[in-house]
Amino acid sequence: MSNILFVVGSTRPGRVSEKVLAHIQTIIEGRDDITASVADLRELDLPFFDGEITPSNPDFAPEAENVKAWTKLVGEADGVVLISPEYNHSTSAVLKNAIDWIYGEWENKPIGIISYGWFGGENAQIAIKQVYETLKPVHVEPTTKLYFMKHIQPDGSIIDEEYATSQINATLDAFAA
């Protein structure tokens, strides 16, 4: 059984990512090959990275307890799924910041993406994949793209449950394989 860490990549009030996560959790309840843990970036409240020593440096050691907790969550997971909104044709600043806080824990870590937005989160996925080039995780395919007004409403409620469920299951199947 794989322990997958689902990262809620938005901190906005009324965020869609909570509803997407709720749908994912309902799907996981029907599966026996995946257990889920959640890293909510709102609750973690990571400071913006501004250290003199970067996480890729062997001498880097985070001091903030919430950064240590984040690092441990990623390090202990068998894989990570980033639930990413698309903001201004990219991923959210808080998700990018969370990715930037750690380095070695990403290497060879299977990472999937479930994105949403007016363009299905396509541009958010592109931005995340560009960051991957340095971090060297195992990119999990297929990813899931949920389009506003086609698959989900802008408030996060599901329009096309069959599509959303099948796409999320396809992403999760890649972890189980």
Side-chain angles (χ1 to χ4, degrees):
M1 181 175 298
S2 296
N3 176 32
I4 305 302
L5 176 66
F6 291 85
V7 180
V8 180
S10 173
T11 58
R12 286 182 173 175
R15 60 196 174 162
V16 171
S17 53
E18 287 180 342
K19 291 181 181 172
V20 173
L21 175 64
H23 191 68
I24 293 167
Q25 289 172 319
T26 299
I27 292 168
I28 290 172
E29 288 174 7
R31 298 179 66 118
D32 60 3
D33 56 347
I34 291 175
T35 59
S37 54
V38 176
D40 186 336
L41 296 182
R42 180 188 290 165
E43 292 174 11
L44 281 171
D45 193 26
L46 300 170
F48 279 100
F49 182 78
D50 65 354
E52 288 183 43
I53 299 175
T54 65
S56 62
N57 186 314
D59 294 331
F60 177 77
E63 295 177 14
E65 291 303 316
N66 50 352
V67 175
K68 290 177 186 178
W70 165 239
T71 302
K72 183 177 179 186
L73 285 167
V74 171
E76 291 179 350
D78 296 324
V80 176
V81 172
L82 304 174
I83 304 171
S84 179
E86 182 172 321
Y87 294 162
N88 298 316
H89 298 292
S90 190
T91 192
S92 66
V94 294
L95 182 54
K96 174 64 168 71
N97 181 61
I99 293 168
D100 287 348
W101 263 110
I102 55 181
Y103 184 78
E105 290 76 10
W106 294 121
E107 190 170 349
N108 296 316
K109 179 78 62 178
I111 299 179
I113 306 170
I114 297 174
S115 61
Y116 59 88
W118 291 105
F119 303 99
E122 174 73 30
N123 293 306
Q125 289 197 19
I126 290 168
I128 292 167
K129 290 173 186 178
Q130 288 174 332
V131 174
Y132 280 359
E133 292 178 20
T134 300
L135 301 175
K136 298 179 180 44
V138 175
H139 182 66
V140 173
E141 288 285 349
T143 62
T144 297
K145 298 173 192 152
L146 302 173
Y147 291 78
F148 285 159
M149 303 307 293
K150 186 174 181 181
H151 309 120
I152 63 174
Q153 295 283 2
D155 71 357
S157 56
I158 304 294
I159 295 172
D160 188 341
E161 188 168 339
E162 183 178 334
Y163 175 87
T165 300
S166 69
Q167 294 300 300
I168 292 167
N169 265 320
T171 299
L172 298 178
D173 287 345
F175 282 94

